[in-house]
Amino acid sequence: SYNMLPQGTNSVSTPTIIPPDMFNGERIAMVASFYLTVIALTDTGRVYAWGYGYYGSCGLGHNQNVQKPTLVKALEEERIVM
């Protein structure tokens, strides 16, 4: 299964804070979502993804659904800024 909210959070119809421990304590600077995939950018430039993984849409190197924020290792050495 896949969720827009990470595993361990309840399904809700209002904005919800995602616990910071799901991002290794990093602060989230920006969030983008498309279809059923979510991408989060931290203030240190790290990128996390979760949700619908078909066609590799999470950028994690596989086609499986991802239930919690996962560091996009292909971008780990890059500093992404907005």
Coordinates of all heavy atoms in Angstrom, one line a residue:
S1 N 0.8 -1.2 0.0 CA 0.0 0.0 0.0 C 0.9 1.2 0.0 O 2.1 1.2 0.2 CB -0.9 0.0 1.2 OG -0.2 0.2 2.4
Y2 N 0.3 2.4 -0.2 CA 1.0 3.6 -0.2 C 0.1 4.7 0.4 O -1.1 4.6 0.3 CB 1.4 4.0 -1.7 CG 0.3 3.9 -2.7 CD1 -0.6 4.9 -2.9 CD2 0.1 2.7 -3.3 CE1 -1.6 4.8 -3.8 CE2 -0.9 2.5 -4.2 CZ -1.7 3.6 -4.5 OH -2.7 3.4 -5.4
N3 N 0.7 5.7 0.9 CA 0.0 6.8 1.6 C 0.7 8.1 1.3 O 1.9 8.1 1.1 CB 0.0 6.6 3.1 CG -0.7 5.4 3.5 OD1 -1.9 5.2 3.2 ND2 0.0 4.5 4.2
M4 N -0.1 9.2 1.2 CA 0.5 10.5 1.2 C 1.1 10.9 2.5 O 2.1 11.6 2.6 CB -0.5 11.6 0.8 CG -1.0 11.3 -0.7 SD 0.2 11.6 -1.9 CE 0.1 13.3 -2.1
L5 N 0.5 10.4 3.6 CA 1.1 10.5 4.9 C 1.9 9.3 5.3 O 1.5 8.2 4.9 CB -0.1 10.7 6.0 CG -0.8 12.0 6.0 CD1 -2.0 12.0 6.9 CD2 0.1 13.2 6.3
P6 N 3.0 9.5 5.9 CA 3.9 8.4 6.2 C 3.2 7.3 7.1 O 2.3 7.7 7.9 CB 5.1 9.0 6.9 CG 5.1 10.4 6.6 CD 3.6 10.7 6.3
Q7 N 3.7 6.1 7.1 CA 3.3 5.1 8.0 C 3.4 5.5 9.4 O 4.4 6.1 9.8 CB 4.1 3.8 7.7 CG 3.7 2.6 8.6 CD 4.6 1.4 8.3 OE1 5.6 1.5 7.7 NE2 4.1 0.3 8.7
G8 N 2.4 5.2 10.2 CA 2.4 5.6 11.6 C 1.6 6.9 11.9 O 1.4 7.2 13.0
T9 N 1.1 7.5 10.8 CA 0.3 8.7 11.0 C -1.1 8.3 10.5 O -1.3 7.4 9.7 CB 0.7 9.9 10.2 OG1 0.8 9.5 8.8 CG2 2.1 10.3 10.6
N10 N -2.1 8.9 11.1 CA -3.5 8.6 10.7 C -3.9 9.3 9.4 O -3.4 10.4 9.1 CB -4.5 9.1 11.8 CG -4.2 8.3 13.1 OD1 -3.9 7.2 13.1 ND2 -4.3 9.0 14.2
S11 N -4.8 8.7 8.7 CA -5.4 9.4 7.5 C -6.2 10.6 8.0 O -7.1 10.4 8.8 CB -6.2 8.4 6.7 OG -5.4 7.4 6.2
V12 N -6.0 11.7 7.5 CA -6.7 12.9 7.8 C -7.0 13.8 6.6 O -6.4 13.6 5.6 CB -5.9 13.8 8.9 CG1 -5.8 13.0 10.2 CG2 -4.6 14.2 8.3
S13 N -7.9 14.7 6.7 CA -8.3 15.5 5.6 C -7.8 17.0 5.8 O -8.2 17.9 5.1 CB -9.8 15.5 5.3 OG -10.5 15.9 6.5
T14 N -7.1 17.2 6.9 CA -6.5 18.6 7.2 C -5.0 18.5 7.2 O -4.4 17.4 7.4 CB -7.1 19.1 8.5 OG1 -6.7 18.1 9.5 CG2 -8.6 19.2 8.5
P15 N -4.4 19.6 7.1 CA -2.9 19.6 7.2 C -2.4 19.0 8.5 O -3.0 19.2 9.5 CB -2.5 21.1 7.1 CG -3.7 21.7 6.4 CD -4.9 21.0 6.8
T16 N -1.4 18.2 8.4 CA -0.9 17.4 9.5 C 0.6 17.5 9.6 O 1.3 17.4 8.6 CB -1.3 15.9 9.3 OG1 -2.7 15.9 9.2 CG2 -0.8 15.1 10.5
I17 N 1.1 17.7 10.8 CA 2.6 17.8 11.0 C 3.1 16.3 11.0 O 2.6 15.5 11.7 CB 2.9 18.5 12.4 CG1 2.5 19.9 12.3 CG2 4.4 18.3 12.7 CD1 2.7 20.7 13.6
I18 N 4.1 16.1 10.3 CA 4.8 14.8 10.2 C 5.9 14.9 11.3 O 6.7 15.8 11.3 CB 5.3 14.5 8.8 CG1 4.2 14.5 7.8 CG2 6.1 13.2 8.8 CD1 4.6 14.4 6.4
P19 N 6.0 13.9 12.1 CA 7.0 13.9 13.2 C 8.4 14.1 12.6 O 8.8 13.4 11.7 CB 6.9 12.5 13.9 CG 5.5 12.1 13.5 CD 5.2 12.7 12.2
P20 N 9.2 15.0 13.2 CA 10.6 15.3 12.7 C 11.5 14.1 12.7 O 12.4 14.0 11.9 CB 11.1 16.4 13.6 CG 10.0 16.8 14.4 CD 8.9 15.9 14.3
D21 N 11.2 13.1 13.6 CA 12.1 12.0 13.6 C 12.1 11.1 12.4 O 13.0 10.4 12.1 CB 11.8 11.1 14.9 CG 10.4 10.5 14.9 OD1 9.5 11.1 14.3 OD2 10.3 9.4 15.5
M22 N 11.0 11.3 11.6 CA 10.9 10.6 10.3 C 11.9 11.2 9.3 O 12.1 10.7 8.2 CB 9.5 10.7 9.7 CG 8.6 9.9 10.5 SD 7.0 9.7 9.6 CE 6.4 8.2 10.5
F23 N 12.5 12.4 9.6 CA 13.5 13.0 8.7 C 14.8 13.2 9.4 O 15.6 14.1 9.2 CB 13.0 14.4 8.3 CG 11.7 14.3 7.5 CD1 10.5 14.5 8.2 CD2 11.6 14.0 6.2 CE1 9.3 14.4 7.5 CE2 10.4 13.9 5.5 CZ 9.3 14.1 6.2
N24 N 15.1 12.3 10.3 CA 16.4 12.3 11.1 C 16.6 13.6 11.8 O 17.7 14.1 12.0 CB 17.6 12.0 10.2 CG 17.5 10.6 9.6 OD1 17.2 9.7 10.3 ND2 17.9 10.5 8.4
G25 N 15.5 14.2 12.3 CA 15.5 15.5 13.0 C 15.8 16.7 12.2 O 15.9 17.8 12.7
E26 N 15.8 16.6 10.8 CA 16.1 17.7 10.0 C 14.8 18.5 9.8 O 13.7 17.9 9.8 CB 16.6 17.2 8.6 CG 17.9 16.6 8.7 CD 18.5 16.2 7.3 OE1 18.7 17.1 6.5 OE2 18.6 15.0 7.1
R27 N 14.9 19.8 9.5 CA 13.7 20.6 9.3 C 13.4 20.6 7.8 O 14.3 20.6 7.0 CB 14.0 22.1 9.7 CG 14.2 22.2 11.2 CD 14.6 23.6 11.6 NE 13.8 24.6 10.8 CZ 13.1 25.6 11.4 NH1 13.1 25.8 12.7 NH2 12.4 26.4 10.6
I28 N 12.1 20.5 7.5 CA 11.6 20.5 6.1 C 11.5 21.9 5.6 O 10.8 22.7 6.2 CB 10.3 19.7 6.0 CG1 10.5 18.3 6.5 CG2 9.8 19.7 4.6 CD1 11.6 17.5 5.8
A29 N 12.1 22.2 4.5 CA 12.0 23.5 3.9 C 10.9 23.6 2.8 O 10.3 24.6 2.6 CB 13.4 23.9 3.3
M30 N 10.7 22.5 2.1 CA 9.7 22.5 1.0 C 9.2 21.1 0.8 O 9.9 20.1 1.0 CB 10.4 23.0 -0.3 CG 9.5 23.1 -1.5 SD 10.4 23.7 -2.9 CE 10.5 25.4 -2.4
V31 N 7.9 21.0 0.4 CA 7.3 19.7 0.1 C 6.6 19.9 -1.2 O 5.9 20.9 -1.5 CB 6.2 19.3 1.2 CG1 5.5 18.1 0.8 CG2 6.9 19.2 2.5
A32 N 6.7 18.8 -2.0 CA 6.0 18.8 -3.3 C 5.3 17.4 -3.4 O 5.9 16.4 -2.9 CB 7.0 18.9 -4.5
S33 N 4.2 17.4 -4.0 CA 3.5 16.1 -4.2 C 2.9 16.0 -5.6 O 2.6 17.1 -6.2 CB 2.4 15.9 -3.2 OG 1.4 16.8 -3.4
F34 N 2.9 14.8 -6.1 CA 2.3 14.6 -7.4 C 1.7 13.2 -7.4 O 2.3 12.3 -7.0 CB 3.3 14.8 -8.6 CG 4.6 14.1 -8.4 CD1 4.8 12.8 -9.0 CD2 5.6 14.6 -7.6 CE1 6.0 12.1 -8.8 CE2 6.8 13.9 -7.4 CZ 7.0 12.6 -8.0
Y35 N 0.5 13.1 -7.9 CA -0.3 11.9 -7.9 C -0.3 11.4 -6.5 O -0.9 12.0 -5.6 CB 0.3 10.9 -8.9 CG -0.6 9.7 -9.1 CD1 -2.0 9.9 -9.3 CD2 -0.1 8.4 -9.1 CE1 -2.8 8.8 -9.5 CE2 -1.0 7.3 -9.2 CZ -2.3 7.5 -9.4 OH -3.1 6.4 -9.6
L36 N 0.4 10.3 -6.2 CA 0.5 9.7 -4.8 C 1.9 9.6 -4.3 O 2.2 8.8 -3.5 CB -0.2 8.4 -4.8 CG -1.7 8.4 -5.2 CD1 -2.2 7.0 -5.4 CD2 -2.5 9.1 -4.1
T37 N 2.8 10.5 -4.7 CA 4.2 10.5 -4.3 C 4.5 11.9 -3.7 O 4.0 12.9 -4.1 CB 5.1 10.3 -5.5 OG1 4.8 9.1 -6.1 CG2 6.5 10.3 -5.1
V38 N 5.2 11.9 -2.6 CA 5.6 13.1 -1.9 C 7.1 13.2 -1.9 O 7.8 12.2 -1.6 CB 5.1 13.1 -0.5 CG1 5.4 14.4 0.2 CG2 3.5 12.9 -0.5
I39 N 7.6 14.4 -2.1 CA 9.1 14.7 -2.1 C 9.2 15.8 -1.1 O 8.5 16.8 -1.1 CB 9.6 15.1 -3.4 CG1 9.3 14.1 -4.5 CG2 11.1 15.4 -3.3 CD1 10.0 12.8 -4.4
A40 N 10.2 15.7 -0.1 CA 10.5 16.7 0.9 C 11.9 17.1 0.8 O 12.8 16.2 0.7 CB 10.1 16.2 2.3
L41 N 12.2 18.4 0.8 CA 13.5 19.0 0.8 C 13.8 19.5 2.2 O 13.0 20.3 2.7 CB 13.6 20.1 -0.2 CG 14.9 20.8 -0.3 CD1 16.1 19.9 -0.7 CD2 14.8 22.0 -1.2
T42 N 14.9 19.1 2.8 CA 15.3 19.6 4.1 C 16.0 20.9 4.0 O 16.5 21.3 2.9 CB 16.1 18.6 4.9 OG1 17.4 18.5 4.3 CG2 15.4 17.3 5.0
D43 N 16.2 21.6 5.1 CA 16.9 22.9 5.1 C 18.4 22.7 4.9 O 19.2 23.6 4.7 CB 16.7 23.7 6.3 CG 17.0 23.0 7.6 OD1 17.4 21.9 7.6 OD2 16.9 23.7 8.7
T44 N 18.9 21.4 5.0 CA 20.3 21.1 4.7 C 20.5 20.6 3.3 O 21.6 20.3 2.9 CB 20.8 20.0 5.7 OG1 20.1 18.8 5.5 CG2 20.7 20.5 7.1
G45 N 19.4 20.6 2.5 CA 19.5 20.2 1.1 C 19.3 18.7 0.8 O 19.6 18.2 -0.3
R46 N 18.9 17.9 1.8 CA 18.7 16.5 1.6 C 17.2 16.3 1.1 O 16.3 17.1 1.4 CB 18.8 15.7 2.9 CG 20.3 15.7 3.3 CD 20.4 14.9 4.6 NE 21.6 14.1 4.4 CZ 21.9 13.1 5.2 NH1 21.1 12.8 6.2 NH2 23.0 12.4 5.0
V47 N 17.0 15.3 0.3 CA 15.7 15.0 -0.4 C 15.2 13.7 0.1 O 15.9 12.6 0.1 CB 15.9 15.0 -1.9 CG1 14.5 14.6 -2.5 CG2 16.4 16.3 -2.4
Y48 N 14.0 13.7 0.6 CA 13.3 12.5 1.1 C 12.1 12.2 0.2 O 11.4 13.2 -0.3 CB 12.8 12.6 2.5 CG 13.9 12.6 3.5 CD1 14.7 13.7 3.8 CD2 14.2 11.4 4.2 CE1 15.7 13.7 4.7 CE2 15.3 11.4 5.1 CZ 16.0 12.6 5.4 OH 17.0 12.6 6.3
A49 N 11.7 11.0 0.0 CA 10.5 10.6 -0.9 C 9.8 9.5 -0.2 O 10.3 8.7 0.5 CB 11.0 10.2 -2.3
W50 N 8.5 9.5 -0.5 CA 7.6 8.3 -0.1 C 6.3 8.4 -0.9 O 6.0 9.3 -1.5 CB 7.3 8.4 1.4 CG 6.5 9.5 1.9 CD1 5.1 9.4 2.2 CD2 6.9 10.8 2.3 NE1 4.7 10.6 2.6 CE2 5.7 11.5 2.7 CE3 8.1 11.5 2.2 CZ2 5.8 12.8 3.1 CZ3 8.1 12.8 2.6 CH2 7.0 13.5 3.1
G51 N 5.6 7.3 -0.8 CA 4.3 7.2 -1.5 C 4.3 6.1 -2.6 O 5.0 5.1 -2.5
Y52 N 3.6 6.4 -3.7 CA 3.5 5.5 -4.8 C 4.8 5.4 -5.6 O 5.3 6.4 -6.1 CB 2.4 6.0 -5.7 CG 2.0 5.1 -6.9 CD1 1.4 3.9 -6.7 CD2 2.2 5.6 -8.2 CE1 1.0 3.1 -7.7 CE2 1.8 4.8 -9.2 CZ 1.2 3.5 -9.0 OH 0.8 2.8 -10.0
G53 N 5.4 4.2 -5.6 CA 6.7 4.0 -6.2 C 6.7 3.5 -7.6 O 7.8 3.3 -8.2
Y54 N 5.6 3.2 -8.2 CA 5.6 2.6 -9.5 C 6.3 3.5 -10.5 O 6.2 4.7 -10.4 CB 4.2 2.2 -10.0 CG 4.1 1.1 -11.0 CD1 4.5 -0.1 -10.6 CD2 3.6 1.4 -12.2 CE1 4.5 -1.2 -11.5 CE2 3.6 0.3 -13.2 CZ 4.0 -0.9 -12.8 OH 4.0 -1.9 -13.7
Y55 N 6.9 2.9 -11.5 CA 7.7 3.6 -12.5 C 8.9 4.4 -11.9 O 9.4 5.3 -12.5 CB 6.9 4.6 -13.3 CG 5.8 3.9 -14.1 CD1 4.4 4.1 -13.8 CD2 6.1 3.0 -15.1 CE1 3.4 3.5 -14.5 CE2 5.1 2.4 -15.9 CZ 3.8 2.7 -15.5 OH 2.8 2.0 -16.2
G56 N 9.3 4.1 -10.6 CA 10.4 4.7 -10.0 C 10.1 6.1 -9.6 O 11.0 6.9 -9.4
S57 N 8.8 6.5 -9.4 CA 8.5 7.9 -9.1 C 9.0 8.4 -7.8 O 9.1 9.7 -7.7 CB 7.0 8.0 -9.1 OG 6.3 7.3 -8.1
C58 N 9.5 7.6 -6.9 CA 10.1 8.1 -5.7 C 11.6 8.4 -5.8 O 12.2 9.0 -5.0 CB 9.9 7.1 -4.5 SG 8.2 7.1 -3.9
G59 N 12.2 7.9 -6.9 CA 13.6 8.2 -7.2 C 14.5 7.4 -6.3 O 15.7 7.8 -6.1
L60 N 14.0 6.2 -5.8 CA 14.8 5.4 -4.9 C 15.5 4.2 -5.6 O 16.0 3.4 -4.9 CB 13.9 5.0 -3.7 CG 13.3 6.1 -2.9 CD1 12.3 5.6 -1.9 CD2 14.4 6.9 -2.2
G61 N 15.4 4.1 -6.9 CA 16.0 3.0 -7.6 C 15.2 1.7 -7.6 O 15.7 0.7 -8.0
H62 N 13.9 1.8 -7.3 CA 13.0 0.6 -7.4 C 11.6 1.1 -7.7 O 11.3 2.3 -7.7 CB 13.1 -0.2 -6.1 CG 12.7 0.5 -4.9 ND1 11.4 0.9 -4.6 CD2 13.5 1.0 -3.9 CE1 11.4 1.5 -3.5 NE2 12.6 1.6 -3.0
N63 N 10.7 0.1 -8.0 CA 9.3 0.4 -8.3 C 8.4 0.1 -7.2 O 7.2 -0.1 -7.5 CB 8.9 -0.3 -9.6 CG 9.7 0.1 -10.8 OD1 10.1 1.3 -10.9 ND2 10.0 -0.8 -11.7
Q64 N 8.8 0.0 -6.0 CA 8.0 -0.4 -4.9 C 7.4 0.9 -4.2 O 8.0 1.9 -4.1 CB 8.7 -1.3 -3.9 CG 9.2 -2.5 -4.6 CD 10.2 -3.3 -3.7 OE1 10.8 -2.7 -2.8 NE2 10.5 -4.5 -4.1
N65 N 6.2 0.7 -3.6 CA 5.6 1.8 -2.8 C 6.5 1.9 -1.5 O 7.0 1.0 -1.0 CB 4.2 1.4 -2.4 CG 3.3 1.3 -3.7 OD1 3.6 2.0 -4.7 ND2 2.3 0.5 -3.6
V66 N 6.5 3.2 -1.0 CA 7.4 3.5 0.1 C 6.4 4.1 1.2 O 5.8 5.1 0.9 CB 8.5 4.5 -0.3 CG1 9.3 4.8 0.9 CG2 9.3 3.9 -1.4
Q67 N 6.4 3.5 2.4 CA 5.5 4.0 3.4 C 6.0 5.0 4.4 O 5.2 5.5 5.2 CB 5.0 2.7 4.2 CG 4.2 1.8 3.3 CD 3.6 0.6 4.1 OE1 3.7 0.5 5.3 NE2 2.9 -0.2 3.4
K68 N 7.2 5.3 4.3 CA 7.8 6.4 5.2 C 8.8 7.2 4.5 O 9.4 6.7 3.5 CB 8.3 5.8 6.5 CG 9.5 4.9 6.4 CD 9.9 4.3 7.7 CE 11.1 3.4 7.5 NZ 11.6 2.8 8.8
P69 N 9.1 8.4 4.9 CA 10.1 9.2 4.2 C 11.5 8.5 4.2 O 11.9 8.0 5.2 CB 10.2 10.5 5.1 CG 8.9 10.6 5.7 CD 8.5 9.2 6.0
T70 N 12.0 8.4 3.0 CA 13.3 7.7 2.7 C 14.2 8.6 2.0 O 13.8 9.2 1.0 CB 13.0 6.4 1.9 OG1 12.0 5.6 2.6 CG2 14.2 5.6 1.7
L71 N 15.4 8.7 2.5 CA 16.4 9.5 1.9 C 16.7 9.1 0.4 O 16.9 7.9 0.2 CB 17.7 9.5 2.7 CG 18.9 10.3 2.2 CD1 18.5 11.8 2.3 CD2 20.1 10.0 3.0
V72 N 16.7 10.0 -0.5 CA 17.0 9.7 -1.9 C 18.5 9.6 -2.0 O 19.2 10.7 -2.1 CB 16.4 10.7 -2.9 CG1 16.8 10.4 -4.3 CG2 14.9 10.8 -2.7
K73 N 19.1 8.4 -2.0 CA 20.5 8.2 -1.9 C 21.2 8.7 -3.2 O 22.4 9.1 -3.1 CB 20.9 6.8 -1.6 CG 20.4 6.4 -0.2 CD 20.9 5.0 0.2 CE 20.4 4.7 1.6 NZ 20.9 3.5 2.1
A74 N 20.6 8.7 -4.3 CA 21.2 9.2 -5.5 C 21.5 10.7 -5.5 O 22.4 11.2 -6.2 CB 20.3 8.9 -6.7
L75 N 20.9 11.4 -4.6 CA 21.1 12.8 -4.4 C 21.9 13.1 -3.1 O 22.1 14.3 -2.8 CB 19.8 13.6 -4.4 CG 19.0 13.5 -5.7 CD1 17.6 14.1 -5.5 CD2 19.7 14.1 -6.8
E76 N 22.3 12.1 -2.4 CA 22.9 12.3 -1.1 C 24.1 13.2 -1.1 O 24.4 13.9 -0.2 CB 23.2 10.9 -0.4 CG 23.5 11.0 1.0 CD 23.5 9.6 1.7 OE1 23.7 8.6 0.9 OE2 23.3 9.6 2.9
E77 N 24.9 13.1 -2.1 CA 26.1 13.9 -2.2 C 25.9 15.2 -2.8 O 26.8 16.0 -2.9 CB 27.2 13.1 -3.1 CG 27.6 11.8 -2.5 CD 28.2 11.9 -1.1 OE1 29.0 12.8 -0.9 OE2 27.9 11.1 -0.2
E78 N 24.7 15.5 -3.2 CA 24.3 16.8 -3.8 C 23.7 17.7 -2.7 O 23.0 17.2 -1.9 CB 23.4 16.6 -5.0 CG 23.8 15.7 -6.0 CD 25.1 16.2 -6.8 OE1 25.2 17.4 -6.9 OE2 25.9 15.3 -7.2
R79 N 23.9 19.0 -2.8 CA 23.2 19.9 -2.0 C 22.1 20.6 -2.8 O 22.5 21.4 -3.7 CB 24.1 20.9 -1.4 CG 23.4 21.9 -0.5 CD 24.3 22.6 0.5 NE 23.8 23.8 1.1 CZ 22.8 23.9 1.9 NH1 22.0 22.9 2.2 NH2 22.4 25.1 2.3
I80 N 20.9 20.3 -2.6 CA 19.8 20.8 -3.4 C 19.3 22.1 -2.7 O 19.0 22.1 -1.5 CB 18.6 19.8 -3.5 CG1 19.1 18.5 -3.9 CG2 17.5 20.4 -4.4 CD1 19.8 18.4 -5.2
V81 N 19.2 23.2 -3.4 CA 18.7 24.5 -2.8 C 17.6 25.0 -3.6 O 17.5 24.8 -4.8 CB 19.9 25.5 -2.7 CG1 20.9 25.1 -1.7 CG2 20.4 25.8 -4.0
M82 N 16.7 25.8 -3.0 CA 15.6 26.4 -3.6 C 15.6 27.9 -3.4 O 16.0 28.4 -2.4 CB 14.3 25.8 -3.1 CG 14.1 24.4 -3.4 SD 14.1 24.0 -5.2 CE 12.6 24.7 -5.7

